[in-house]
């Protein structure tokens, strides 16, 4: 029988030896002190492996064969409710029977109690079979997990320190409903006139004299938005523009009545017709004084939504790798059978190069994804442990939260790189899959064109590629400005390793690191030089304040913003080779993967560096002229 876990040696590598499971399992299992829990690291990992094997078979034998039917039948709106294809409903009945909705939730809340890393690996397996099924699945378990994390954050989850178990949490009924498979949820952010610019959101939340909250407004592009549990961001402070006036709410979209009817609280305006993801319900939903419950504190909406979106972006990284794997496997299988000019086309040089590149990039992307998921999980679980298991003002809580912050910083650096590069590669590989299949790739019957249609949304949802690039650039530039001495030390260390390291591969990795740091240095120096040139518009007595305080990111970082995607590609390549180098030190068999990645990364990184350091002045001057013309004309 086909099995998407058993046929993937790289996924098995991470399950068996590629990750240090001990810290994560120790946190999940409370150092093996939970009554009825696993008694050892080996027992826990064996169970996780069995789960991945089960899901791998389910994905290959049950999900993949239904993928084309799900795409063909799509979704529809009837009597105000969104309906999925019968094949999708049947699959989710099976998923309900497998108890997969509670995979990463604690046992005491009805979950299986696996690490989130295992959940993300499950997401890759399902995405390889069908992107739509994986996406909808994530809006069950993902929403349940976020409701728990939000409750821990606001202090409404209780914990028994002796038994090492959660004894209650604010959203326990909602979590239980989701884990049973009876409901799911959605993230409600985008509005008709506000997408990536969250400061422009207009949906509002108002509080009555009794303290009850009511939400009014429309949200669009809601994946699985026909579900019940909506996490909605809305403006609570009308006199406070920008992100600081936003708060987060849990809003149930409907109520099921005792007589079997349903009372709609939020109205589904429409289900979008899309290029791909035909089997996924993408909804526009309107709220008209819909009752909601405030999550956290007023004004925390943006920070809390970022917490949700960071996890979602890691999920999209694994989803993208599943899409890449599907494209590679389909192209490889076809090329091994299709004969041309006396041999199968996988023996033709250009096609062989395509396949080698796809395989190499999947291995590198997965290395980045695993590292990202690992640190994000350690961040979340260490923080949760600190908040639940220590006294509020204790030194121990401060120590634990500081440890969580270190993992958060690592995850924050890697997450936009993963989301950017994995989603872009999913589109690129799906396109190559079509090209390798030739005319067959263009025909629906073979399924390659569906891979491309479904992949096209990956660089768009959960924050576009351009938003990820701006985030990565901003963090890099801010880090330099906060601690220039540390940055210069990194530059010197990388240069020294590029010359003195005994290992030739380490020298090559260090050269890529040096190149990326040099690109960052160029951007910060160019930014500072542009700022200095602009001081001539101000009195000399204002120069110090203008240079050190009055920075306008939209104006002063224009050169860096122009090159943000190029810098992100550089940083992604560098992050991947650094991770692969660390792997190769522990597992020598991984050296060949590092060699293959460097072979392709070195020339493209040199080209990216040249573009960053030589291009942009003409376009920026053109944009400045346009802006000045608009200002002069009063537009």
């Amino acid at each position: 029988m086909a099995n998407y876990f058993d046929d993937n040696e790289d996924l098995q590598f991470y399950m068996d030896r590629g990750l240090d499971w001990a810290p994560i399992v120790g946190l999940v299992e409370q150092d093996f002190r939970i009554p009825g829990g696993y008694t050892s690291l080996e027992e826990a990992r064996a169970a996780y492996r069995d789960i991945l094997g089960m899901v791998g078979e389910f994905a290959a034998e049950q999900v993949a064969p239904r993928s084309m039917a799900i795409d063909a039948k799509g979704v529809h709106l009837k009597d105000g409710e969104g309906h999925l294809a019968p094949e999708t409903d049947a699959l989710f009945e099976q998923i309900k029977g497998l108890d997969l909705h509670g995979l990463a939730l604690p046992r005491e809340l009805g979950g299986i109690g696996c690490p989130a890393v295992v959940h993300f690996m499950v997401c890759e397996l399902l995405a390889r079979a069908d992107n739509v099924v994986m996406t909808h699945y994530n809006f069950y378990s993902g929403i349940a997990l976020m409701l728990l994390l939000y409750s821990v954050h606001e202090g409404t989850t209780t914990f028994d320190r002796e038994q090492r178990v959660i004894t209650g949490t604010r959203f326990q009924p909602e979590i239980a409903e989701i884990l049973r498979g009876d409901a799911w949820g959605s993230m409600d952010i985008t509005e008709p006139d506000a997408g990536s610019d969250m400061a422009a959101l207009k949906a509002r939340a108002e509080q009555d004299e009794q303290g009850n909250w009511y939400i009014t407004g429309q949200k669009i592009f809601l994946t699985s938005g026909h579900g019940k549990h909506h996490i909605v961001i809305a403006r609570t402070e009308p006199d406070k523009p920008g992100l600081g006036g936003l708060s987060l709410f849990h809003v149930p979209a409907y109520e099921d009545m005792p007589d079997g009817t349903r009372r709609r609280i939020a109205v589904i305006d429409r289900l979008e017709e899309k290029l791909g993801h035909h089997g996924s319900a993408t909804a526009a939903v309107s709220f008209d004084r819909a009752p909601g419950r405030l999550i956290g504190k007023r004004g925390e909406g943006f920070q809390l939504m970022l917490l949700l979106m960071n996890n979602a972006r890691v999920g999209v990284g694994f989803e993208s790798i599943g899409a890449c794997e599907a494209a590679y496997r389909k192209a490889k299988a076809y090329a091994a059978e299709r004969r041309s000019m006396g041999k199968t086309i996988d023996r033709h040089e250009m096609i062989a190069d395509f396949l080698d590149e796809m395989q190499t990039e999947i291995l590198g992307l997965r290395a980045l994804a695993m590292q990202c998921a690992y640190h994000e999980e350690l961040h979340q679980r260490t923080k949760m442990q600190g908040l639940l298991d220590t006294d509020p003002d204790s030194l121990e809580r401060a120590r634990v939260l500081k440890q969580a912050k270190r993992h958060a910083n690592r995850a924050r650096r890697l997450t936009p790189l993963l989301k950017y590069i994995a989603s872009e590669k999913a589109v690129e590989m799906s396109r190559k899959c079509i090209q390798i299949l030739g005319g067959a790739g263009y025909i629906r019957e073979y399924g390659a064109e569906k891979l491309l249609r479904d992949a096209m949304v990956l660089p768009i949802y959960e924050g576009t590629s351009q938003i990820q690039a701006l985030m990565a650039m901003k963090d890099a530039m801010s880090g330099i400005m906060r601690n220039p001495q540390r940055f210069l030390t990194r530059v010197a260390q990388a240069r020294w390793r590029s010359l003195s390291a005994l290992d030739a591969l380490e020298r090559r990795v260090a050269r890529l690191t040096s190149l990326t740091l040099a690109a960052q240095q160029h951007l910060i120096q160019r930014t500072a030089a542009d700022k200095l040139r602009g001081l001539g518009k101000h009195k000399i007595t204002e120069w110090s304040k203008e240079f050190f305080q009055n920075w306008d990111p939209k104006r002063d970082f224009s050169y860096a913003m122009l090159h943000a995607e190029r810098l992100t590609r550089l940083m992604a390549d560098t992050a991947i080779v650094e991770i692969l180098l660390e792997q190769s030190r522990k597992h020598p068999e991984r050296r060949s993967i590092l060699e293959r990645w460097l072979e392709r990364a070195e020339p493209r990184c040199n080209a990216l560096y040249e573009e960053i350091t030589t291009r942009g002045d003409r376009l920026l001057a053109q944009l400045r002229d346009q802006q000045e013309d608009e200002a002069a004309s009063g537009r």
Side-chain angles (χ1 to χ4, degrees), residues 538-573:
H538 303 275
K539 297 177 182 178
I540 193 170
T541 54
E542 299 174 346
W543 284 9
S544 177
K545 181 179 180 181
E546 283 295 319
F547 187 78
F548 290 105
Q549 298 180 26
N550 293 342
W551 283 81
D552 180 353
K554 295 180 181 179
R555 179 194 66 218
D556 298 321
F557 285 87
S558 59
Y559 190 84
M561 287 193 287
L562 175 66
H563 291 293
E565 283 202 69
R566 297 180 183 94
L567 180 65
T568 299
R569 287 180 176 272
L570 262 175
M571 291 194 294
D573 264 325

mmCIF file of all heavy atoms in Angstrom, residues 538-573:
data_model
loop_
_atom_site.group_PDB
_atom_site.id
_atom_site.type_symbol
_atom_site.label_atom_id
_atom_site.label_comp_id
_atom_site.label_asym_id
_atom_site.label_seq_id
_atom_site.Cartn_x
_atom_site.Cartn_y
_atom_site.Cartn_z
ATOM 1 N N HIS A 538 16.887 70.821 6.681
ATOM 2 C CA HIS A 538 16.580 71.228 8.040
ATOM 3 C C HIS A 538 17.668 72.151 8.584
ATOM 4 O O HIS A 538 18.804 72.168 8.108
ATOM 5 C CB HIS A 538 16.465 69.981 8.946
ATOM 6 C CG HIS A 538 15.443 68.990 8.488
ATOM 7 N ND1 HIS A 538 14.116 69.092 8.815
ATOM 8 C CD2 HIS A 538 15.569 67.876 7.713
ATOM 9 C CE1 HIS A 538 13.452 68.081 8.269
ATOM 10 N NE2 HIS A 538 14.310 67.329 7.596
ATOM 11 N N LYS A 539 17.314 72.893 9.627
ATOM 12 C CA LYS A 539 18.291 73.735 10.308
ATOM 13 C C LYS A 539 19.351 72.847 10.952
ATOM 14 O O LYS A 539 19.068 71.745 11.390
ATOM 15 C CB LYS A 539 17.606 74.563 11.386
ATOM 16 C CG LYS A 539 16.565 75.534 10.852
ATOM 17 C CD LYS A 539 15.878 76.253 12.006
ATOM 18 C CE LYS A 539 14.790 77.187 11.491
ATOM 19 N NZ LYS A 539 14.068 77.862 12.609
ATOM 20 N N ILE A 540 20.574 73.408 11.052
ATOM 21 C CA ILE A 540 21.676 72.615 11.599
ATOM 22 C C ILE A 540 21.388 72.184 13.025
ATOM 23 O O ILE A 540 21.826 71.135 13.484
ATOM 24 C CB ILE A 540 23.006 73.405 11.499
ATOM 25 C CG1 ILE A 540 24.181 72.448 11.765
ATOM 26 C CG2 ILE A 540 23.002 74.597 12.461
ATOM 27 C CD1 ILE A 540 25.522 73.053 11.448
ATOM 28 N N THR A 541 20.613 72.996 13.762
ATOM 29 C CA THR A 541 20.281 72.651 15.144
ATOM 30 C C THR A 541 19.322 71.467 15.228
ATOM 31 O O THR A 541 19.154 70.864 16.288
ATOM 32 C CB THR A 541 19.629 73.858 15.852
ATOM 33 O OG1 THR A 541 18.504 74.303 15.073
ATOM 34 C CG2 THR A 541 20.637 74.986 16.008
ATOM 35 N N GLU A 542 18.682 71.124 14.103
ATOM 36 C CA GLU A 542 17.733 70.008 14.083
ATOM 37 C C GLU A 542 18.355 68.721 13.554
ATOM 38 O O GLU A 542 17.703 67.675 13.550
ATOM 39 C CB GLU A 542 16.521 70.372 13.222
ATOM 40 C CG GLU A 542 15.739 71.581 13.721
ATOM 41 C CD GLU A 542 14.648 71.995 12.753
ATOM 42 O OE1 GLU A 542 14.680 71.509 11.590
ATOM 43 O OE2 GLU A 542 13.776 72.790 13.128
ATOM 44 N N TRP A 543 19.617 68.796 13.113
ATOM 45 C CA TRP A 543 20.230 67.635 12.468
ATOM 46 C C TRP A 543 20.280 66.405 13.382
ATOM 47 O O TRP A 543 19.965 65.295 12.962
ATOM 48 C CB TRP A 543 21.639 67.981 11.989
ATOM 49 C CG TRP A 543 21.635 68.808 10.736
ATOM 50 C CD1 TRP A 543 20.571 69.391 10.133
ATOM 51 C CD2 TRP A 543 22.768 69.131 9.951
ATOM 52 N NE1 TRP A 543 20.955 70.068 9.004
ATOM 53 C CE2 TRP A 543 22.320 69.920 8.860
ATOM 54 C CE3 TRP A 543 24.133 68.860 10.040
ATOM 55 C CZ2 TRP A 543 23.174 70.429 7.886
ATOM 56 C CZ3 TRP A 543 24.990 69.355 9.077
ATOM 57 C CH2 TRP A 543 24.513 70.131 8.004
ATOM 58 N N SER A 544 20.708 66.613 14.611
ATOM 59 C CA SER A 544 20.847 65.483 15.524
ATOM 60 C C SER A 544 19.507 64.781 15.732
ATOM 61 O O SER A 544 19.405 63.557 15.646
ATOM 62 C CB SER A 544 21.409 65.959 16.863
ATOM 63 O OG SER A 544 21.486 64.871 17.766
ATOM 64 N N LYS A 545 18.453 65.570 15.976
ATOM 65 C CA LYS A 545 17.133 64.994 16.197
ATOM 66 C C LYS A 545 16.638 64.283 14.944
ATOM 67 O O LYS A 545 16.081 63.180 15.013
ATOM 68 C CB LYS A 545 16.158 66.080 16.617
ATOM 69 C CG LYS A 545 14.743 65.567 16.907
ATOM 70 C CD LYS A 545 13.822 66.697 17.344
ATOM 71 C CE LYS A 545 12.422 66.176 17.621
ATOM 72 N NZ LYS A 545 11.505 67.267 18.025
ATOM 73 N N GLU A 546 16.820 64.902 13.780
ATOM 74 C CA GLU A 546 16.346 64.319 12.533
ATOM 75 C C GLU A 546 17.046 62.995 12.231
ATOM 76 O O GLU A 546 16.426 62.035 11.775
ATOM 77 C CB GLU A 546 16.554 65.284 11.360
ATOM 78 C CG GLU A 546 15.554 66.403 11.301
ATOM 79 C CD GLU A 546 14.145 65.891 11.031
ATOM 80 O OE1 GLU A 546 13.998 64.976 10.200
ATOM 81 O OE2 GLU A 546 13.200 66.385 11.666
ATOM 82 N N PHE A 547 18.370 62.943 12.512
ATOM 83 C CA PHE A 547 19.111 61.739 12.150
ATOM 84 C C PHE A 547 18.858 60.604 13.134
ATOM 85 O O PHE A 547 18.699 59.441 12.744
ATOM 86 C CB PHE A 547 20.608 62.017 12.075
ATOM 87 C CG PHE A 547 21.395 60.844 11.542
ATOM 88 C CD1 PHE A 547 21.421 60.562 10.189
ATOM 89 C CD2 PHE A 547 22.071 59.990 12.409
ATOM 90 C CE1 PHE A 547 22.123 59.463 9.696
ATOM 91 C CE2 PHE A 547 22.774 58.893 11.926
ATOM 92 C CZ PHE A 547 22.803 58.635 10.565
ATOM 93 N N PHE A 548 18.811 60.914 14.418
ATOM 94 C CA PHE A 548 18.729 59.862 15.415
ATOM 95 C C PHE A 548 17.304 59.509 15.844
ATOM 96 O O PHE A 548 17.069 58.453 16.409
ATOM 97 C CB PHE A 548 19.554 60.242 16.655
ATOM 98 C CG PHE A 548 21.038 60.232 16.399
ATOM 99 C CD1 PHE A 548 21.737 61.415 16.273
ATOM 100 C CD2 PHE A 548 21.723 59.033 16.267
ATOM 101 C CE1 PHE A 548 23.105 61.399 16.034
ATOM 102 C CE2 PHE A 548 23.083 59.017 16.026
ATOM 103 C CZ PHE A 548 23.786 60.204 15.905
ATOM 104 N N GLN A 549 16.329 60.386 15.585
ATOM 105 C CA GLN A 549 14.986 60.131 16.092
ATOM 106 C C GLN A 549 13.917 60.093 15.003
ATOM 107 O O GLN A 549 13.097 59.182 14.971
ATOM 108 C CB GLN A 549 14.604 61.203 17.131
ATOM 109 C CG GLN A 549 15.513 61.196 18.355
ATOM 110 C CD GLN A 549 15.110 62.265 19.358
ATOM 111 O OE1 GLN A 549 13.965 62.687 19.414
ATOM 112 N NE2 GLN A 549 16.068 62.723 20.151
ATOM 113 N N ASN A 550 13.901 61.054 14.130
ATOM 114 C CA ASN A 550 12.788 61.203 13.188
ATOM 115 C C ASN A 550 12.981 60.352 11.932
ATOM 116 O O ASN A 550 13.232 60.856 10.849
ATOM 117 C CB ASN A 550 12.615 62.684 12.812
ATOM 118 C CG ASN A 550 12.164 63.508 13.995
ATOM 119 O OD1 ASN A 550 11.674 62.973 14.980
ATOM 120 N ND2 ASN A 550 12.336 64.814 13.905
ATOM 121 N N TRP A 551 12.852 59.044 12.110
ATOM 122 C CA TRP A 551 12.974 58.130 10.979
ATOM 123 C C TRP A 551 11.592 57.761 10.473
ATOM 124 O O TRP A 551 10.714 57.369 11.240
ATOM 125 C CB TRP A 551 13.726 56.862 11.391
ATOM 126 C CG TRP A 551 15.202 57.082 11.494
ATOM 127 C CD1 TRP A 551 15.885 57.628 12.540
ATOM 128 C CD2 TRP A 551 16.182 56.761 10.513
ATOM 129 N NE1 TRP A 551 17.226 57.679 12.279
ATOM 130 C CE2 TRP A 551 17.442 57.141 11.034
ATOM 131 C CE3 TRP A 551 16.139 56.191 9.242
ATOM 132 C CZ2 TRP A 551 18.637 56.967 10.331
ATOM 133 C CZ3 TRP A 551 17.316 56.009 8.554
ATOM 134 C CH2 TRP A 551 18.541 56.398 9.086
ATOM 135 N N ASP A 552 11.404 57.896 9.180
ATOM 136 C CA ASP A 552 10.157 57.514 8.521
ATOM 137 C C ASP A 552 10.453 56.290 7.653
ATOM 138 O O ASP A 552 11.124 56.406 6.623
ATOM 139 C CB ASP A 552 9.634 58.661 7.655
ATOM 140 C CG ASP A 552 8.324 58.303 6.944
ATOM 141 O OD1 ASP A 552 7.916 57.134 7.021
ATOM 142 O OD2 ASP A 552 7.742 59.199 6.318
ATOM 143 N N PRO A 553 9.982 55.086 8.070
ATOM 144 C CA PRO A 553 10.312 53.875 7.310
ATOM 145 C C PRO A 553 9.921 53.957 5.839
ATOM 146 O O PRO A 553 10.628 53.456 4.968
ATOM 147 C CB PRO A 553 9.527 52.780 8.040
ATOM 148 C CG PRO A 553 9.335 53.307 9.421
ATOM 149 C CD PRO A 553 9.184 54.795 9.266
ATOM 150 N N LYS A 554 8.783 54.594 5.530
ATOM 151 C CA LYS A 554 8.333 54.664 4.140
ATOM 152 C C LYS A 554 9.233 55.540 3.287
ATOM 153 O O LYS A 554 9.322 55.379 2.079
ATOM 154 C CB LYS A 554 6.896 55.182 4.092
ATOM 155 C CG LYS A 554 5.885 54.242 4.732
ATOM 156 C CD LYS A 554 4.479 54.802 4.647
ATOM 157 C CE LYS A 554 3.476 53.871 5.299
ATOM 158 N NZ LYS A 554 2.094 54.407 5.258
ATOM 159 N N ARG A 555 9.890 56.520 3.930
ATOM 160 C CA ARG A 555 10.742 57.437 3.181
ATOM 161 C C ARG A 555 12.210 57.047 3.286
ATOM 162 O O ARG A 555 12.920 56.954 2.289
ATOM 163 C CB ARG A 555 10.543 58.857 3.721
ATOM 164 C CG ARG A 555 11.397 59.933 3.041
ATOM 165 C CD ARG A 555 11.373 61.221 3.863
ATOM 166 N NE ARG A 555 12.023 61.025 5.153
ATOM 167 C CZ ARG A 555 11.613 61.569 6.295
ATOM 168 N NH1 ARG A 555 10.529 62.310 6.318
ATOM 169 N NH2 ARG A 555 12.272 61.356 7.425
ATOM 170 N N ASP A 556 12.671 56.801 4.507
ATOM 171 C CA ASP A 556 14.104 56.632 4.740
ATOM 172 C C ASP A 556 14.620 55.255 4.361
ATOM 173 O O ASP A 556 15.817 55.081 4.170
ATOM 174 C CB ASP A 556 14.418 56.922 6.211
ATOM 175 C CG ASP A 556 14.087 58.359 6.598
ATOM 176 O OD1 ASP A 556 14.333 59.252 5.766
ATOM 177 O OD2 ASP A 556 13.584 58.576 7.709
ATOM 178 N N PHE A 557 13.731 54.243 4.283
ATOM 179 C CA PHE A 557 14.179 52.892 3.962
ATOM 180 C C PHE A 557 13.777 52.486 2.542
ATOM 181 O O PHE A 557 13.669 51.305 2.243
ATOM 182 C CB PHE A 557 13.599 51.891 4.975
ATOM 183 C CG PHE A 557 14.262 51.938 6.320
ATOM 184 C CD1 PHE A 557 13.816 52.825 7.293
ATOM 185 C CD2 PHE A 557 15.334 51.122 6.623
ATOM 186 C CE1 PHE A 557 14.419 52.878 8.537
ATOM 187 C CE2 PHE A 557 15.949 51.162 7.860
ATOM 188 C CZ PHE A 557 15.487 52.053 8.831
ATOM 189 N N SER A 558 13.569 53.454 1.672
ATOM 190 C CA SER A 558 13.077 53.142 0.333
ATOM 191 C C SER A 558 14.042 52.238 -0.432
ATOM 192 O O SER A 558 13.615 51.307 -1.126
ATOM 193 C CB SER A 558 12.812 54.426 -0.455
ATOM 194 O OG SER A 558 13.992 55.200 -0.557
ATOM 195 N N TYR A 559 15.353 52.476 -0.324
ATOM 196 C CA TYR A 559 16.319 51.647 -1.050
ATOM 197 C C TYR A 559 16.292 50.211 -0.508
ATOM 198 O O TYR A 559 16.315 49.241 -1.281
ATOM 199 C CB TYR A 559 17.713 52.238 -0.905
ATOM 200 C CG TYR A 559 18.746 51.605 -1.819
ATOM 201 C CD1 TYR A 559 18.896 52.030 -3.141
ATOM 202 C CD2 TYR A 559 19.563 50.574 -1.368
ATOM 203 C CE1 TYR A 559 19.833 51.442 -3.978
ATOM 204 C CE2 TYR A 559 20.509 49.985 -2.197
ATOM 205 C CZ TYR A 559 20.634 50.422 -3.501
ATOM 206 O OH TYR A 559 21.567 49.843 -4.330
ATOM 207 N N ALA A 560 16.211 50.069 0.819
ATOM 208 C CA ALA A 560 16.155 48.735 1.412
ATOM 209 C C ALA A 560 14.847 48.032 1.057
ATOM 210 O O ALA A 560 14.828 46.820 0.810
ATOM 211 C CB ALA A 560 16.312 48.840 2.927
ATOM 212 N N MET A 561 13.742 48.785 1.024
ATOM 213 C CA MET A 561 12.461 48.169 0.657
ATOM 214 C C MET A 561 12.469 47.697 -0.790
ATOM 215 O O MET A 561 11.893 46.653 -1.113
ATOM 216 C CB MET A 561 11.320 49.150 0.908
ATOM 217 C CG MET A 561 11.021 49.347 2.392
ATOM 218 S SD MET A 561 9.452 50.191 2.723
ATOM 219 C CE MET A 561 9.876 51.854 2.247
ATOM 220 N N LEU A 562 13.133 48.444 -1.662
ATOM 221 C CA LEU A 562 13.223 48.037 -3.060
ATOM 222 C C LEU A 562 13.899 46.673 -3.188
ATOM 223 O O LEU A 562 13.512 45.844 -4.019
ATOM 224 C CB LEU A 562 14.005 49.093 -3.848
ATOM 225 C CG LEU A 562 14.299 48.764 -5.311
ATOM 226 C CD1 LEU A 562 13.015 48.717 -6.128
ATOM 227 C CD2 LEU A 562 15.264 49.780 -5.905
ATOM 228 N N HIS A 563 14.890 46.437 -2.351
ATOM 229 C CA HIS A 563 15.681 45.204 -2.457
ATOM 230 C C HIS A 563 15.303 44.165 -1.409
ATOM 231 O O HIS A 563 16.047 43.199 -1.202
ATOM 232 C CB HIS A 563 17.174 45.542 -2.329
ATOM 233 C CG HIS A 563 17.721 46.308 -3.493
ATOM 234 N ND1 HIS A 563 17.825 45.759 -4.751
ATOM 235 C CD2 HIS A 563 18.173 47.591 -3.588
ATOM 236 C CE1 HIS A 563 18.336 46.670 -5.582
ATOM 237 N NE2 HIS A 563 18.555 47.784 -4.904
ATOM 238 N N ALA A 564 14.163 44.336 -0.749
ATOM 239 C CA ALA A 564 13.788 43.439 0.353
ATOM 240 C C ALA A 564 13.673 41.976 -0.095
ATOM 241 O O ALA A 564 14.125 41.065 0.608
ATOM 242 C CB ALA A 564 12.480 43.901 0.984
ATOM 243 N N GLU A 565 13.078 41.731 -1.261
ATOM 244 C CA GLU A 565 12.946 40.345 -1.718
ATOM 245 C C GLU A 565 14.294 39.737 -2.042
ATOM 246 O O GLU A 565 14.551 38.564 -1.742
ATOM 247 C CB GLU A 565 12.012 40.273 -2.925
ATOM 248 C CG GLU A 565 10.546 40.379 -2.579
ATOM 249 C CD GLU A 565 9.652 39.786 -3.657
ATOM 250 O OE1 GLU A 565 9.663 38.550 -3.838
ATOM 251 O OE2 GLU A 565 8.943 40.565 -4.324
ATOM 252 N N ARG A 566 15.174 40.506 -2.657
ATOM 253 C CA ARG A 566 16.507 39.979 -2.968
ATOM 254 C C ARG A 566 17.267 39.652 -1.688
ATOM 255 O O ARG A 566 17.929 38.608 -1.587
ATOM 256 C CB ARG A 566 17.275 40.991 -3.813
ATOM 257 C CG ARG A 566 16.624 41.255 -5.170
ATOM 258 C CD ARG A 566 17.407 42.264 -6.007
ATOM 259 N NE ARG A 566 16.706 42.539 -7.258
ATOM 260 C CZ ARG A 566 15.857 43.547 -7.445
ATOM 261 N NH1 ARG A 566 15.625 44.411 -6.465
ATOM 262 N NH2 ARG A 566 15.243 43.711 -8.599
ATOM 263 N N LEU A 567 17.166 40.543 -0.707
ATOM 264 C CA LEU A 567 17.822 40.280 0.572
ATOM 265 C C LEU A 567 17.224 39.043 1.241
ATOM 266 O O LEU A 567 17.956 38.228 1.822
ATOM 267 C CB LEU A 567 17.692 41.499 1.490
ATOM 268 C CG LEU A 567 18.332 41.345 2.872
ATOM 269 C CD1 LEU A 567 19.842 41.206 2.752
ATOM 270 C CD2 LEU A 567 17.980 42.525 3.771
ATOM 271 N N THR A 568 15.907 38.883 1.160
ATOM 272 C CA THR A 568 15.251 37.724 1.779
ATOM 273 C C THR A 568 15.716 36.425 1.135
ATOM 274 O O THR A 568 15.944 35.420 1.822
ATOM 275 C CB THR A 568 13.722 37.870 1.667
ATOM 276 O OG1 THR A 568 13.323 39.053 2.363
ATOM 277 C CG2 THR A 568 13.004 36.666 2.266
ATOM 278 N N ARG A 569 15.864 36.421 -0.172
ATOM 279 C CA ARG A 569 16.371 35.224 -0.849
ATOM 280 C C ARG A 569 17.798 34.906 -0.400
ATOM 281 O O ARG A 569 18.166 33.742 -0.182
ATOM 282 C CB ARG A 569 16.321 35.408 -2.364
ATOM 283 C CG ARG A 569 14.902 35.340 -2.930
ATOM 284 C CD ARG A 569 14.883 35.530 -4.444
ATOM 285 N NE ARG A 569 13.545 35.361 -4.978
ATOM 286 C CZ ARG A 569 13.015 34.209 -5.368
ATOM 287 N NH1 ARG A 569 13.726 33.109 -5.270
ATOM 288 N NH2 ARG A 569 11.788 34.162 -5.843
ATOM 289 N N LEU A 570 18.606 35.956 -0.249
ATOM 290 C CA LEU A 570 19.970 35.773 0.255
ATOM 291 C C LEU A 570 19.951 35.189 1.662
ATOM 292 O O LEU A 570 20.679 34.239 1.974
ATOM 293 C CB LEU A 570 20.700 37.123 0.274
ATOM 294 C CG LEU A 570 21.631 37.482 -0.875
ATOM 295 C CD1 LEU A 570 22.153 38.903 -0.702
ATOM 296 C CD2 LEU A 570 22.809 36.516 -0.937
ATOM 297 N N MET A 571 19.123 35.777 2.524
ATOM 298 C CA MET A 571 19.071 35.320 3.911
ATOM 299 C C MET A 571 18.522 33.905 4.011
ATOM 300 O O MET A 571 18.950 33.124 4.868
ATOM 301 C CB MET A 571 18.241 36.288 4.750
ATOM 302 C CG MET A 571 18.905 37.652 4.942
ATOM 303 S SD MET A 571 18.147 38.672 6.248
ATOM 304 C CE MET A 571 16.535 38.970 5.534
ATOM 305 N N ALA A 572 17.557 33.552 3.150
ATOM 306 C CA ALA A 572 17.015 32.191 3.163
ATOM 307 C C ALA A 572 18.075 31.182 2.759
ATOM 308 O O ALA A 572 18.239 30.133 3.406
ATOM 309 C CB ALA A 572 15.805 32.102 2.241
ATOM 310 N N ASP A 573 18.816 31.473 1.681
ATOM 311 C CA ASP A 573 19.903 30.585 1.270
ATOM 312 C C ASP A 573 20.920 30.419 2.393
ATOM 313 O O ASP A 573 21.398 29.311 2.667
ATOM 314 C CB ASP A 573 20.596 31.138 0.012
ATOM 315 C CG ASP A 573 20.057 30.521 -1.267
ATOM 316 O OD1 ASP A 573 19.702 29.331 -1.252
ATOM 317 O OD2 ASP A 573 19.992 31.226 -2.286
#
